[in-house]
Amino acid sequence: HIPKGTRIVEYLGDRISHAEADDRYEAKGQDDGHTFLFVVSSKVVIDAGVGGNEARFINHSCDPNCETVIEGGRVFIEALRDIGPGEELGYEYGLTWESTDDPDELANYACRCGAAKCRGTMLDPVPLDRKRKKRAKRKARAKKPAQVRKQARK
């Protein structure tokens, strides 16, 4: 039994730059989207395929029982809810895609988690460019005084 909020494991591996990660996996075929890369920041990626631990084997889930927490440049897997003995651990990978990505390559990220509401892909359903636009709109709205926002709704 793993109680909700338990820090289960740290995601370990070789700490490299994004450029190094690109170089390492450039030679992989386009039909092979499988890596153990975890983006920690704009400068650091963890490659659990080199010096990694069992955390690299935790699968994606559309109905996760875990989440990732980044603290001090380190990545931890924590329980979102109580997890029973023998229950598979899973977290939302949070993979993003651009609207310009090749649809054939996106097929490499099919999800087979088996959740009742599985969306069929490990990719976030909202393209990154659309997220950026939404975020910019939200920030612009937040900058307006509350009274102006209230009037705009009427």
Side-chain angles (χ1 to χ4, degrees):
H1 177 79
I2 301 171
K4 176 182 178 176
T6 299
R7 187 163 279 181
I8 301 167
V9 66
E10 181 176 358
Y11 195 94
L12 297 174
D14 198 10
R15 300 175 70 80
I16 58 176
S17 68
H18 288 265
E20 174 68 17
D22 291 344
D23 289 346
R24 281 186 186 182
Y25 296 98
E26 189 176 309
K28 284 187 113 172
Q30 287 187 357
D31 60 342
D32 183 2
H34 191 256
T35 65
F36 294 111
L37 299 175
F38 194 107
V39 175
V40 178
S41 69
S42 62
K43 295 181 180 184
V44 176
V45 176
I46 295 175
D47 182 356
V50 178
N53 61 353
E54 63 278 356
R56 72 181 182 264
F57 299 119
I58 299 175
N59 286 319
H60 161 85
S61 176
C62 294
D63 184 20
N65 54 14
C66 297
E67 67 180 340
T68 58
V69 176
I70 300 174
E71 279 181 8
R74 297 168 67 190
V75 178
F76 301 96
I77 312 299
E78 292 187 0
L80 278 172
R81 59 173 175 74
D82 288 348
I83 301 171
E87 187 177 348
E88 181 178 358
L89 303 178
Y91 63 89
E92 170 63 60
Y93 280 3
L95 300 175
T96 56
W97 58 284
E98 298 285 340
S99 58
T100 56
D101 285 345
D102 182 345
D104 292 336
E105 288 181 34
L106 297 178
N108 293 325
Y109 301 95
C111 180
R112 296 174 186 86
C113 72
K117 293 185 179 181
C118 176
R119 63 180 182 263
T121 180
M122 292 183 282
L123 299 167
D124 192 316
V126 181
L128 191 56
D129 52 345
R130 217 169 15 160
K131 275 186 180 179
R132 286 183 188 131
K133 288 176 188 173
K134 275 180 136 176
R135 196 176 304 128
K137 269 187 186 177
R138 240 188 342 260
K139 282 184 178 179
R141 267 198 314 261
K143 287 181 181 177
K144 291 181 183 177
Q147 191 61 31
V148 173
R149 287 195 310 266
K150 195 180 251 186
Q151 289 173 354
R153 277 188 250 149
K154 289 181 181 179

